[in-house]
Amino acid sequence: MKVADWIRAHPGRSLTIAPSASLEEALDRMLEVHGARDIYVSTDDGAVVGHLSHRRLAQSFLLEHSHFHTRRQLMERVVGATVEEFMDGHPVFAHPDEELDNVLQRQLDHDVEDMLVIDEVGSVLGAVNLSEVLREFRLEVS
């Protein structure tokens, strides 16, 4: 199956945010969508320039707190940060003409739940959600 066929049958959720947005805004956007694990960073013209994972946001807000920092110091540092400062500037993408199996393997290799599908100019067409693929596969083998 081609990725184009998948996104046609499963339109939907691809979260994007501006590079200048705060980490708080990114966390709020991600928490608004049940099960969201990835948010992509895109410019005003729609070009995707980065990726921010649920795990990276959690590390920023929770795990970097140590006995060397007070919670207030940590929150001041994180609250003042932008998405661009924390994003992975080398996101992985899928293209509509790729085979879905190849994309799924890349998702597993890069630990990405929602892989954006982009066109030749880098604009978002949709996303391949790993959980949706698993759900479909489960239904097919049942």
Side-chain angles (χ1 to χ4, degrees), residues 1-5 94-106:
M1 171 185 279
K2 296 285 186 187
V3 170
D5 299 328
H95 296 279
D97 59 340
E98 287 186 82
E99 291 293 330
L100 185 61
D101 289 344
N102 296 338
V103 171
L104 295 174
Q105 185 60 54
R106 205 159 58 248

Side-chain angles (χ1 to χ4, degrees), residues 40-76:
Y40 286 84
V41 185
S42 63
T43 60
D44 290 339
D45 63 357
V48 179
V49 295
H51 169 258
L52 193 57
S53 69
H54 179 264
R55 179 181 208 84
R56 180 76 171 118
L57 278 172
Q59 287 172 335
S60 299
F61 278 93
L62 303 173
L63 298 179
E64 291 182 10
H65 179 68
S66 70
H67 64 280
F68 297 110
H69 301 285
T70 65
R71 188 170 294 181
R72 180 184 175 115
Q73 288 171 323
L74 175 66
M75 288 309 291
E76 285 173 355

Side-chain angles (χ1 to χ4, degrees), residues 80-101:
T82 65
V83 167
E84 188 170 29
E85 295 172 66
F86 278 78
M87 72 181 190
D88 171 5
H90 303 285
V92 292
F93 304 109
H95 296 279
D97 59 340
E98 287 186 82
E99 291 293 330
L100 185 61
D101 289 344

